[in-house]
Amino acid sequence: KNFEDFPEHRSNLFNLLRAINHHCFPALLTESNNFTLIIESIKWAFKHTERNVAETGLHTLLELLQNVQASSVMNAFYVQYYL
């Protein structure tokens, strides 16, 4: 799959993920399969060829890690997703 098609959709998708992480982080923790998909999406974002999408992905990852650090799932998160 390529990274060039529909750049505005990709950018808006990653902005949406960042907003969800920022405003309703506990909702991300309700389903482990969905959380794994969110993590994979964030990884895909910061590997993106467009700089603005990659930066959004990195900011989202930083904010996600800060939210995890302040939550009760911190240990389980690091056990499962330790990079």
Side-chain angles (χ1 to χ4, degrees), residues 4 15 18 20 23 42 45 83:
E4 286 83 32
N15 286 331
R18 187 174 184 192
I20 291 169
H23 294 289
I42 292 170
L83 304 173

Side-chain angles (χ1 to χ4, degrees), residues 65-82:
L65 292 173
Q66 290 169 341
N67 287 339
V68 166
Q69 189 72 24
S71 74
S72 62
V73 299
M74 178 179 66
N75 290 333
F77 173 84
Y78 287 117
V79 165
Q80 184 166 354
Y81 297 104
Y82 184 67

Side-chain angles (χ1 to χ4, degrees), residues 5-81:
D5 291 346
F6 308 108
E8 67 280 351
H9 292 169
R10 295 172 192 274
S11 178
N12 289 332
L13 170 68
F14 297 123
N15 286 331
L16 175 65
L17 286 176
R18 187 174 184 192
I20 291 169
N21 178 52
H22 180 74
H23 294 289
C24 45
F25 174 73
L28 296 178
L29 303 175
T30 58
E31 181 71 37
S32 65
N33 290 338
N34 289 341
F35 192 72
T36 301
L37 183 61
I38 297 294
I39 296 295
E40 292 299 318
S41 298
I42 292 170
K43 286 170 41 180
W44 191 45
F46 68 71
K47 294 178 183 179
H48 203 278
T49 56
E50 287 192 31
R51 182 182 176 120
N52 64 331
V53 174
E55 285 180 1
T56 299
L58 288 172
H59 288 294
T60 305
L61 178 62
L62 175 63
E63 293 165 2
L64 178 91
L65 292 173
Q66 290 169 341
N67 287 339
V68 166
Q69 189 72 24
S71 74
S72 62
V73 299
M74 178 179 66
N75 290 333
F77 173 84
Y78 287 117
V79 165
Q80 184 166 354
Y81 297 104

